[in-house]
Structures are given as C-alpha cells and as structure tokens.
Amino acid sequence: MPLRKVNVVILILLAVAFLIIVQRNLLNLSDFLHKENPDAGQILPFEAELSKDGRQKMERKAEEIPVLITATEDRLGAAIAAMNSVSQNSKARVVFTIVTLNDTADHLKAWMSKTKLKNVKYRIVIFQPELLSGKISKDPKTLEATKPLTFARFYLPVYIPEVEKAIYLDDDVVVQGDIQELYETNLKPGHAAAFSDDCDSASAKGIVRGAGNQNNYLGFLDFKKEAIKKLGMRANTCSFNPGVIIANLTEWKNQNITQQLEYWMERNFQEDLYSNTLAESITTPPLLIVFYKRYSSIDPMWHVRHLGTTGAGNRYSPQFVRVAKLLHWNGHYKPWGRASAFSDVWDQWFIPDPTGKFHPVRRHAD
C-alpha cells in the first residue's frame, strides 16, 4: 500500500478515536450533572403539605454539615445555646435547618440576627401540625409529650431533601466536640440511622435504671397488645435514645421510614400500643419499632445523657462532663429552667435574648 494511503488511513483512525473520546466525556459529564442534581423537577413526599420555606433549597458545599434542630417559643433559649455550641466548636461549616411554628419564627429571626449567630448559615422552616392529624392523641394529660415539633425528626428527608446524610439534635443539648466527628459516624450498609443505645455503657445503664428503668423495649411498648406481639420483638431488647440521630437520608427514603413511622403513630392512635409506664416522649416507640435491630450505634461520648433526670446527672464527675463530646439534659430538669446538673456548663453557650423575652430561671439561684 502506498505511503500516502497509509497516512490517510492513520489520520482517519485517529479522528474516529478522538470522536469516541469526546462522546464518552460528554456522557460522563451528563451523568455527573444528573447525580449532582437528582431531585431536579421531582416532587418530594409531603412537599405540598409544607410551607414554602420548607421547599427552599440552599446551595451546599461538600464540607458543609446539615443539622436539623427544632425551636419552640418556651424553649427557644435552648435551641440558641445548642446552635451556638455547635458552631463555636466546629471547624467545618454547619448549615442549620430550624423547624419551628409560626408564633416563634419572628422571635427566632430577631435573636439570630442581633447576636453572633447572624454569621451562622441557617434556614427557618414552619412545621405544619396538620401532618399529625389522626396520628396523635389530643388528650390534655399527654399534651407535653405530644408537642408537634417533637415529631419533626420523623420528616428529616422532607426538610433536608438535597443531602444524603444529616444530623438531628434535640434542643436540650450542647456540643463540646467538633461535630464533623459525629457526622462521620459510620452507618452499616442498609442502615438508615444511627442512635445511642441505652445500654451502651455500665455507667449509663445504672443511670437509666435510677431514672425509671427505661432502658429496654418493655419500658416503651405494651407487649400484651396483639399488634406488638406479632412483631416478634424481644421485650428486654436494649432501647435507644432518639435525641441525637445521624441519618442516611437516601436509605431513609428508599425504605419509606417516614411512612412506616406514621403507620405506627396511627396504629397507636387507634389501639393504644404504648406502655402504661412510658416516661419519655411518645416519639420514641414508633422509632423503636421501625428500627428494631436495624440501626448503627453512636459513640457513647457523643451522647452523654440523663443530665436532666432526678439525681442521675449528678452521678457524672466534672472531669467526665468536661471531656464529653455532647451533653443531653433529657428528663424533667432543664438547665434553663428548674435546677439541673451542670447548668453552669450550659450557661457558657447561652446567648442572652436581645428582645428580652426569654430568661433562664434558676429555682435555687442566689
């Protein structure tokens, strides 16, 4: 074959190879863009039932950590202290989604905008209590336990739809470590969430027992009811505390966790499935059922609990409290209200209300 023809053939082959490479790159770019924005044009579950704020999306950077926290008017100072402790101790940028009610939104905005929290990245979402219609009792005896915002954690993927992983925090916590460490908690394949076991250490076990023996499923669910019997759960299974949750929101959505939780709320509304000795919030039993032996564990130092329980919090030494990564005042005694253990630690993170509406109350203050 003449040299000129060989050169032509080579050029043609090179051109074809070049076109193939360009095509593949374009296809890879298309796939990348699709992965970067998988929810584009998609209507999320319950979206129609949320406020417009709830549907807003924010531009997020890879190093940002999404945290959801609730804020009620009577406990607004708690949410402020929790967020301040997180932001002050975190190297990564935290993005807060604050779920609240209409009567609190303006107060919250004023508090955030007039203090150092104005530099924190956040958005405010209005919770719609109608979501709970037919799912919880309106019995005045259980009014404290059925405050609407306690159920916001059930709707994590709805309020933070644009991320794969997120953290939920109760408002009665302070974070003393870098929340990046908590965020990096390893979730096992197929697990939609990680919680703190109520039997995760000998000291915690003793404290829980002293607080009312609420460390197993028997303390939360009525195992005499047929609906509970059919689940085949062991009554002595260690329970967990949902005041701190690390959630894999992709798994949460794929497994329809929100719908499962709502189902058990409705069943309880109809059949009263919870234990008569239930001492904690009624948000816990549905979570215990749905996540039975299907969750990962949080490092115990990232959820030191029961500081708000009678006598229990005082069992911790000051040295232990100092090195704990996250402190939780679950129980009746809150550091901003009645006398509680280590309220001075909480005070370090509280930011006074510039509007003058919220003041911590110390029953035994001098």
Side-chain angles (χ1 to χ4, degrees), residues 101-152:
L101 300 171
N102 278 317
D103 63 356
T104 305
D106 289 341
H107 188 186
L108 175 60
K109 289 176 184 176
W111 204 328
M112 298 285 286
S113 64
K114 295 179 181 179
T115 63
K116 59 184 177 182
L117 290 180
K118 65 185 177 183
N119 298 318
V120 171
K121 190 172 182 180
Y122 70 94
R123 63 176 172 184
I124 297 173
V125 180
I126 305 301
F127 186 83
Q128 302 296 330
E130 295 80 12
L131 279 173
L132 306 178
S133 179
K135 300 181 182 72
I136 61 172
S137 171
K138 296 183 180 180
D139 185 346
K141 295 179 182 178
T142 60
L143 187 62
E144 181 68 24
T146 58
K147 286 187 175 180
L149 289 180
T150 63
F151 297 95

Short mmCIF file of all heavy atoms in Angstrom, two decimals, residues 101-152:
data_model
loop_
_atom_site.label_atom_id
_atom_site.label_comp_id
_atom_site.label_asym_id
_atom_site.label_seq_id
_atom_site.Cartn_x
_atom_site.Cartn_y
_atom_site.Cartn_z
N LEU A 101 -42.61 26.89 64.73
CA LEU A 101 -44.00 27.21 64.46
C LEU A 101 -44.13 28.70 64.15
O LEU A 101 -43.23 29.49 64.44
CB LEU A 101 -44.88 26.85 65.67
CG LEU A 101 -44.87 25.36 66.06
CD1 LEU A 101 -45.60 25.15 67.39
CD2 LEU A 101 -45.50 24.51 64.97
N ASN A 102 -45.26 29.08 63.58
CA ASN A 102 -45.46 30.48 63.16
C ASN A 102 -45.27 31.47 64.29
O ASN A 102 -44.75 32.57 64.10
CB ASN A 102 -46.86 30.65 62.57
CG ASN A 102 -46.92 30.21 61.12
OD1 ASN A 102 -46.02 30.52 60.34
ND2 ASN A 102 -47.96 29.47 60.74
N ASP A 103 -45.69 31.10 65.52
CA ASP A 103 -45.63 32.05 66.63
C ASP A 103 -44.20 32.27 67.16
O ASP A 103 -43.99 33.12 68.02
CB ASP A 103 -46.55 31.60 67.77
CG ASP A 103 -46.13 30.26 68.36
OD1 ASP A 103 -45.18 29.65 67.83
OD2 ASP A 103 -46.75 29.82 69.34
N THR A 104 -43.24 31.52 66.63
CA THR A 104 -41.86 31.63 67.12
C THR A 104 -40.91 32.19 66.07
O THR A 104 -39.84 32.69 66.41
CB THR A 104 -41.36 30.24 67.57
OG1 THR A 104 -42.27 29.70 68.53
CG2 THR A 104 -39.98 30.31 68.20
N ALA A 105 -41.29 32.14 64.83
CA ALA A 105 -40.37 32.48 63.73
C ALA A 105 -39.78 33.89 63.86
O ALA A 105 -38.56 34.07 63.72
CB ALA A 105 -41.08 32.32 62.40
N ASP A 106 -40.59 34.89 64.12
CA ASP A 106 -40.09 36.27 64.20
C ASP A 106 -39.14 36.44 65.38
O ASP A 106 -38.11 37.12 65.26
CB ASP A 106 -41.26 37.25 64.32
CG ASP A 106 -42.06 37.36 63.03
OD1 ASP A 106 -41.51 36.99 61.97
OD2 ASP A 106 -43.21 37.82 63.08
N HIS A 107 -39.50 35.86 66.51
CA HIS A 107 -38.63 35.93 67.69
C HIS A 107 -37.28 35.28 67.40
O HIS A 107 -36.22 35.82 67.73
CB HIS A 107 -39.33 35.24 68.88
CG HIS A 107 -38.62 35.41 70.18
ND1 HIS A 107 -39.02 34.79 71.35
CD2 HIS A 107 -37.52 36.13 70.53
CE1 HIS A 107 -38.21 35.12 72.33
NE2 HIS A 107 -37.28 35.93 71.86
N LEU A 108 -37.32 34.14 66.76
CA LEU A 108 -36.09 33.42 66.40
C LEU A 108 -35.22 34.25 65.46
O LEU A 108 -34.00 34.37 65.66
CB LEU A 108 -36.44 32.08 65.76
CG LEU A 108 -35.30 31.24 65.21
CD1 LEU A 108 -34.31 30.87 66.30
CD2 LEU A 108 -35.84 29.97 64.54
N LYS A 109 -35.83 34.83 64.44
CA LYS A 109 -35.07 35.64 63.48
C LYS A 109 -34.40 36.82 64.17
O LYS A 109 -33.23 37.14 63.90
CB LYS A 109 -36.01 36.15 62.38
CG LYS A 109 -36.48 35.06 61.42
CD LYS A 109 -37.47 35.64 60.43
CE LYS A 109 -38.05 34.56 59.51
NZ LYS A 109 -39.09 35.11 58.60
N ALA A 110 -35.12 37.46 65.08
CA ALA A 110 -34.56 38.61 65.80
C ALA A 110 -33.37 38.18 66.66
O ALA A 110 -32.34 38.87 66.70
CB ALA A 110 -35.64 39.26 66.66
N TRP A 111 -33.52 37.06 67.34
CA TRP A 111 -32.44 36.56 68.20
C TRP A 111 -31.20 36.22 67.38
O TRP A 111 -30.07 36.52 67.76
CB TRP A 111 -32.94 35.32 68.95
CG TRP A 111 -32.22 35.02 70.23
CD1 TRP A 111 -30.91 35.26 70.54
CD2 TRP A 111 -32.79 34.40 71.40
NE1 TRP A 111 -30.62 34.82 71.80
CE2 TRP A 111 -31.75 34.29 72.36
CE3 TRP A 111 -34.05 33.90 71.71
CZ2 TRP A 111 -31.96 33.71 73.62
CZ3 TRP A 111 -34.24 33.32 72.97
CH2 TRP A 111 -33.22 33.24 73.90
N MET A 112 -31.42 35.58 66.24
CA MET A 112 -30.29 35.19 65.39
C MET A 112 -29.62 36.41 64.77
O MET A 112 -28.38 36.48 64.71
CB MET A 112 -30.78 34.25 64.29
CG MET A 112 -31.40 32.94 64.75
SD MET A 112 -30.21 31.72 65.33
CE MET A 112 -29.50 31.16 63.78
N SER A 113 -30.39 37.36 64.31
CA SER A 113 -29.85 38.48 63.53
C SER A 113 -29.14 39.52 64.39
O SER A 113 -28.30 40.27 63.90
CB SER A 113 -30.96 39.15 62.73
OG SER A 113 -31.93 39.72 63.59
N LYS A 114 -29.47 39.55 65.69
CA LYS A 114 -28.91 40.59 66.57
C LYS A 114 -27.80 40.08 67.47
O LYS A 114 -27.34 40.79 68.37
CB LYS A 114 -30.02 41.20 67.41
CG LYS A 114 -31.07 41.95 66.59
CD LYS A 114 -32.17 42.51 67.46
CE LYS A 114 -33.22 43.24 66.62
NZ LYS A 114 -34.33 43.78 67.45
N THR A 115 -27.36 38.84 67.25
CA THR A 115 -26.27 38.28 68.04
C THR A 115 -25.22 37.69 67.09
O THR A 115 -25.37 37.77 65.87
CB THR A 115 -26.79 37.17 68.98
OG1 THR A 115 -27.31 36.09 68.20
CG2 THR A 115 -27.89 37.71 69.89
N LYS A 116 -24.20 37.06 67.65
CA LYS A 116 -23.14 36.49 66.81
C LYS A 116 -23.63 35.34 65.94
O LYS A 116 -22.94 34.95 64.99
CB LYS A 116 -21.97 36.02 67.67
CG LYS A 116 -22.30 34.97 68.70
CD LYS A 116 -21.07 34.67 69.55
CE LYS A 116 -21.37 33.69 70.66
NZ LYS A 116 -20.17 33.44 71.52
N LEU A 117 -24.83 34.85 66.21
CA LEU A 117 -25.39 33.79 65.37
C LEU A 117 -25.81 34.31 63.99
O LEU A 117 -26.19 33.53 63.12
CB LEU A 117 -26.58 33.13 66.06
CG LEU A 117 -26.24 32.27 67.29
CD1 LEU A 117 -27.51 31.66 67.88
CD2 LEU A 117 -25.26 31.16 66.92
N LYS A 118 -25.74 35.61 63.79
CA LYS A 118 -26.08 36.16 62.48
C LYS A 118 -25.11 35.66 61.39
O LYS A 118 -25.43 35.71 60.20
CB LYS A 118 -26.07 37.69 62.52
CG LYS A 118 -24.70 38.30 62.80
CD LYS A 118 -24.79 39.81 62.94
CE LYS A 118 -23.42 40.41 63.28
NZ LYS A 118 -23.51 41.89 63.48
N ASN A 119 -23.94 35.21 61.82
CA ASN A 119 -22.95 34.70 60.87
C ASN A 119 -23.11 33.21 60.59
O ASN A 119 -22.38 32.65 59.78
CB ASN A 119 -21.54 34.97 61.40
CG ASN A 119 -21.26 36.46 61.56
OD1 ASN A 119 -21.62 37.25 60.69
ND2 ASN A 119 -20.62 36.83 62.65
N VAL A 120 -24.05 32.58 61.26
CA VAL A 120 -24.31 31.16 61.06
C VAL A 120 -25.22 30.97 59.85
O VAL A 120 -26.14 31.76 59.61
CB VAL A 120 -24.98 30.54 62.31
CG1 VAL A 120 -25.46 29.13 62.05
CG2 VAL A 120 -24.01 30.56 63.49
N LYS A 121 -24.95 29.94 59.06
CA LYS A 121 -25.79 29.66 57.90
C LYS A 121 -26.99 28.84 58.36
O LYS A 121 -26.83 27.77 58.96
CB LYS A 121 -25.00 28.89 56.84
CG LYS A 121 -25.75 28.77 55.50
CD LYS A 121 -24.84 28.17 54.43
CE LYS A 121 -25.56 28.10 53.09
NZ LYS A 121 -24.72 27.51 52.02
N TYR A 122 -28.19 29.33 58.09
CA TYR A 122 -29.38 28.63 58.55
C TYR A 122 -30.58 28.99 57.68
O TYR A 122 -30.57 29.95 56.92
CB TYR A 122 -29.69 28.99 60.01
CG TYR A 122 -30.18 30.41 60.22
CD1 TYR A 122 -31.53 30.72 60.26
CD2 TYR A 122 -29.27 31.46 60.37
CE1 TYR A 122 -31.98 32.02 60.44
CE2 TYR A 122 -29.70 32.77 60.56
CZ TYR A 122 -31.05 33.04 60.60
OH TYR A 122 -31.48 34.32 60.78
N ARG A 123 -31.62 28.17 57.82
CA ARG A 123 -32.91 28.49 57.24
C ARG A 123 -33.99 28.08 58.24
O ARG A 123 -33.79 27.15 59.04
CB ARG A 123 -33.12 27.78 55.91
CG ARG A 123 -33.15 26.27 56.00
CD ARG A 123 -33.46 25.66 54.66
NE ARG A 123 -33.30 24.21 54.69
CZ ARG A 123 -33.44 23.43 53.63
NH1 ARG A 123 -33.73 23.96 52.45
NH2 ARG A 123 -33.29 22.12 53.71
N ILE A 124 -35.08 28.78 58.23
CA ILE A 124 -36.19 28.51 59.14
C ILE A 124 -37.33 27.88 58.37
O ILE A 124 -37.73 28.38 57.31
CB ILE A 124 -36.65 29.81 59.83
CG1 ILE A 124 -35.51 30.38 60.69
CG2 ILE A 124 -37.90 29.56 60.68
CD1 ILE A 124 -35.81 31.74 61.29
N VAL A 125 -37.83 26.78 58.87
CA VAL A 125 -38.94 26.06 58.24
C VAL A 125 -40.11 26.02 59.21
O VAL A 125 -39.93 25.74 60.40
CB VAL A 125 -38.53 24.61 57.87
CG1 VAL A 125 -39.70 23.89 57.22
CG2 VAL A 125 -37.33 24.62 56.96
N ILE A 126 -41.30 26.32 58.72
CA ILE A 126 -42.50 26.29 59.56
C ILE A 126 -43.13 24.90 59.53
O ILE A 126 -43.48 24.40 58.46
CB ILE A 126 -43.53 27.35 59.10
CG1 ILE A 126 -42.89 28.74 59.07
CG2 ILE A 126 -44.75 27.33 60.02
CD1 ILE A 126 -42.33 29.21 60.40
N PHE A 127 -43.24 24.29 60.69
CA PHE A 127 -43.86 22.96 60.80
C PHE A 127 -45.38 23.09 60.67
O PHE A 127 -45.98 23.99 61.24
CB PHE A 127 -43.50 22.33 62.15
CG PHE A 127 -43.98 20.90 62.30
CD1 PHE A 127 -43.25 19.86 61.78
CD2 PHE A 127 -45.18 20.62 62.96
CE1 PHE A 127 -43.67 18.55 61.93
CE2 PHE A 127 -45.61 19.32 63.11
CZ PHE A 127 -44.86 18.28 62.59
N GLN A 128 -45.96 22.17 59.93
CA GLN A 128 -47.41 22.17 59.75
C GLN A 128 -48.02 21.08 60.64
O GLN A 128 -47.92 19.89 60.34
CB GLN A 128 -47.75 21.89 58.28
CG GLN A 128 -47.17 22.89 57.30
CD GLN A 128 -47.71 24.29 57.50
OE1 GLN A 128 -48.85 24.47 57.93
NE2 GLN A 128 -46.88 25.28 57.22
N PRO A 129 -48.66 21.45 61.77
CA PRO A 129 -49.24 20.46 62.68
C PRO A 129 -50.27 19.55 62.02
O PRO A 129 -50.54 18.46 62.52
CB PRO A 129 -49.88 21.33 63.78
CG PRO A 129 -49.13 22.62 63.73
CD PRO A 129 -48.81 22.82 62.27
N GLU A 130 -50.83 20.00 60.88
CA GLU A 130 -51.82 19.18 60.19
C GLU A 130 -51.24 17.82 59.77
O GLU A 130 -51.98 16.86 59.55
CB GLU A 130 -52.35 19.91 58.95
CG GLU A 130 -53.14 21.18 59.26
CD GLU A 130 -52.25 22.38 59.57
OE1 GLU A 130 -51.02 22.29 59.32
OE2 GLU A 130 -52.77 23.39 60.09
N LEU A 131 -49.91 17.74 59.66
CA LEU A 131 -49.27 16.48 59.31
C LEU A 131 -49.60 15.38 60.32
O LEU A 131 -49.58 14.20 60.00
CB LEU A 131 -47.75 16.66 59.26
CG LEU A 131 -47.12 17.27 58.01
CD1 LEU A 131 -45.64 17.51 58.25
CD2 LEU A 131 -47.32 16.37 56.81
N LEU A 132 -49.92 15.79 61.55
CA LEU A 132 -50.12 14.82 62.63
C LEU A 132 -51.59 14.50 62.87
O LEU A 132 -51.91 13.75 63.80
CB LEU A 132 -49.49 15.37 63.92
CG LEU A 132 -48.02 15.78 63.82
CD1 LEU A 132 -47.53 16.35 65.14
CD2 LEU A 132 -47.16 14.60 63.39
N SER A 133 -52.46 15.04 62.05
CA SER A 133 -53.89 14.80 62.22
C SER A 133 -54.19 13.30 62.11
O SER A 133 -53.79 12.64 61.15
CB SER A 133 -54.69 15.56 61.16
OG SER A 133 -56.07 15.31 61.30
N GLY A 134 -54.90 12.77 63.10
CA GLY A 134 -55.25 11.35 63.12
C GLY A 134 -54.11 10.44 63.50
O GLY A 134 -54.22 9.21 63.38
N LYS A 135 -52.99 11.03 63.98
CA LYS A 135 -51.82 10.22 64.32
C LYS A 135 -51.44 10.31 65.79
O LYS A 135 -50.74 9.43 66.31
CB LYS A 135 -50.62 10.64 63.47
CG LYS A 135 -50.84 10.49 61.96
CD LYS A 135 -49.61 10.90 61.20
CE LYS A 135 -49.82 10.80 59.69
NZ LYS A 135 -50.71 11.87 59.19
N ILE A 136 -51.84 11.38 66.47
CA ILE A 136 -51.52 11.50 67.89
C ILE A 136 -52.75 11.93 68.66
O ILE A 136 -53.66 12.56 68.12
CB ILE A 136 -50.38 12.52 68.14
CG1 ILE A 136 -50.78 13.91 67.65
CG2 ILE A 136 -49.08 12.05 67.49
CD1 ILE A 136 -49.78 14.99 68.04
N SER A 137 -52.77 11.58 69.94
CA SER A 137 -53.89 11.92 70.81
C SER A 137 -53.84 13.39 71.21
O SER A 137 -52.76 13.97 71.33
CB SER A 137 -53.86 11.05 72.06
OG SER A 137 -54.80 11.49 73.01
N LYS A 138 -54.99 13.98 71.40
CA LYS A 138 -55.08 15.36 71.88
C LYS A 138 -55.47 15.40 73.35
O LYS A 138 -55.93 16.40 73.87
CB LYS A 138 -56.09 16.15 71.04
CG LYS A 138 -55.67 16.30 69.58
CD LYS A 138 -56.66 17.14 68.79
CE LYS A 138 -56.22 17.27 67.33
NZ LYS A 138 -57.17 18.09 66.54
N ASP A 139 -55.26 14.30 74.05
CA ASP A 139 -55.56 14.20 75.48
C ASP A 139 -54.69 15.19 76.24
O ASP A 139 -53.46 15.16 76.14
CB ASP A 139 -55.27 12.77 75.96
CG ASP A 139 -55.68 12.56 77.41
OD1 ASP A 139 -55.92 13.56 78.11
OD2 ASP A 139 -55.76 11.39 77.84
N PRO A 140 -55.30 16.10 77.03
CA PRO A 140 -54.52 17.09 77.79
C PRO A 140 -53.48 16.45 78.71
O PRO A 140 -52.45 17.06 79.01
CB PRO A 140 -55.60 17.82 78.61
CG PRO A 140 -56.87 17.61 77.86
CD PRO A 140 -56.74 16.25 77.24
N LYS A 141 -53.71 15.20 79.15
CA LYS A 141 -52.77 14.54 80.03
C LYS A 141 -51.44 14.27 79.34
O LYS A 141 -50.40 14.14 79.98
CB LYS A 141 -53.36 13.21 80.53
CG LYS A 141 -54.59 13.39 81.42
CD LYS A 141 -55.12 12.03 81.86
CE LYS A 141 -56.39 12.19 82.70
NZ LYS A 141 -56.94 10.87 83.11
N THR A 142 -51.47 14.13 78.03
CA THR A 142 -50.25 13.83 77.28
C THR A 142 -49.82 15.02 76.42
O THR A 142 -49.02 14.86 75.50
CB THR A 142 -50.46 12.61 76.37
OG1 THR A 142 -51.53 12.89 75.44
CG2 THR A 142 -50.80 11.38 77.18
N LEU A 143 -50.32 16.20 76.73
CA LEU A 143 -50.04 17.38 75.91
C LEU A 143 -48.56 17.68 75.81
O LEU A 143 -48.04 17.99 74.74
CB LEU A 143 -50.79 18.60 76.47
CG LEU A 143 -50.73 19.87 75.62
CD1 LEU A 143 -51.36 19.64 74.27
CD2 LEU A 143 -51.43 21.02 76.34
N GLU A 144 -47.84 17.55 76.93
CA GLU A 144 -46.41 17.84 76.94
C GLU A 144 -45.65 16.90 76.02
O GLU A 144 -44.74 17.29 75.30
CB GLU A 144 -45.87 17.73 78.38
CG GLU A 144 -44.39 18.04 78.52
CD GLU A 144 -44.05 19.49 78.25
OE1 GLU A 144 -44.94 20.35 78.40
OE2 GLU A 144 -42.89 19.76 77.87
N ALA A 145 -46.05 15.63 76.04
CA ALA A 145 -45.34 14.63 75.25
C ALA A 145 -45.68 14.70 73.77
O ALA A 145 -44.94 14.20 72.93
CB ALA A 145 -45.65 13.23 75.77
N THR A 146 -46.80 15.31 73.44
CA THR A 146 -47.26 15.33 72.05
C THR A 146 -47.10 16.68 71.38
O THR A 146 -47.82 17.01 70.46
CB THR A 146 -48.73 14.88 71.96
OG1 THR A 146 -49.54 15.75 72.78
CG2 THR A 146 -48.90 13.45 72.43
N LYS A 147 -46.18 17.49 71.87
CA LYS A 147 -45.94 18.76 71.20
C LYS A 147 -45.52 18.48 69.76
O LYS A 147 -44.66 17.64 69.51
CB LYS A 147 -44.87 19.55 71.94
CG LYS A 147 -45.39 20.15 73.24
CD LYS A 147 -44.37 21.07 73.87
CE LYS A 147 -44.95 21.75 75.10
NZ LYS A 147 -43.97 22.66 75.74
N PRO A 148 -46.13 19.16 68.81
CA PRO A 148 -45.92 18.83 67.39
C PRO A 148 -44.47 18.74 66.96
O PRO A 148 -44.09 17.84 66.21
CB PRO A 148 -46.64 19.96 66.66
CG PRO A 148 -47.68 20.43 67.61
CD PRO A 148 -47.07 20.28 68.97
N LEU A 149 -43.63 19.66 67.44
CA LEU A 149 -42.26 19.71 66.94
C LEU A 149 -41.43 18.50 67.33
O LEU A 149 -40.38 18.24 66.72
CB LEU A 149 -41.58 20.99 67.42
CG LEU A 149 -42.07 22.29 66.76
CD1 LEU A 149 -41.31 23.48 67.30
CD2 LEU A 149 -41.91 22.22 65.25
N THR A 150 -41.88 17.73 68.33
CA THR A 150 -41.11 16.55 68.69
C THR A 150 -41.13 15.51 67.58
O THR A 150 -40.29 14.60 67.55
CB THR A 150 -41.65 15.90 69.99
OG1 THR A 150 -43.00 15.45 69.76
CG2 THR A 150 -41.62 16.87 71.14
N PHE A 151 -42.06 15.65 66.63
CA PHE A 151 -42.16 14.70 65.53
C PHE A 151 -41.44 15.17 64.27
O PHE A 151 -41.44 14.47 63.26
CB PHE A 151 -43.64 14.44 65.20
CG PHE A 151 -44.39 13.81 66.34
CD1 PHE A 151 -45.11 14.59 67.23
CD2 PHE A 151 -44.36 12.44 66.54
CE1 PHE A 151 -45.79 14.02 68.29
CE2 PHE A 151 -45.04 11.85 67.60
CZ PHE A 151 -45.76 12.64 68.48
N ALA A 152 -40.78 16.33 64.33
CA ALA A 152 -40.08 16.84 63.15
C ALA A 152 -39.00 15.87 62.68
O ALA A 152 -38.74 15.74 61.48
CB ALA A 152 -39.47 18.20 63.45
#
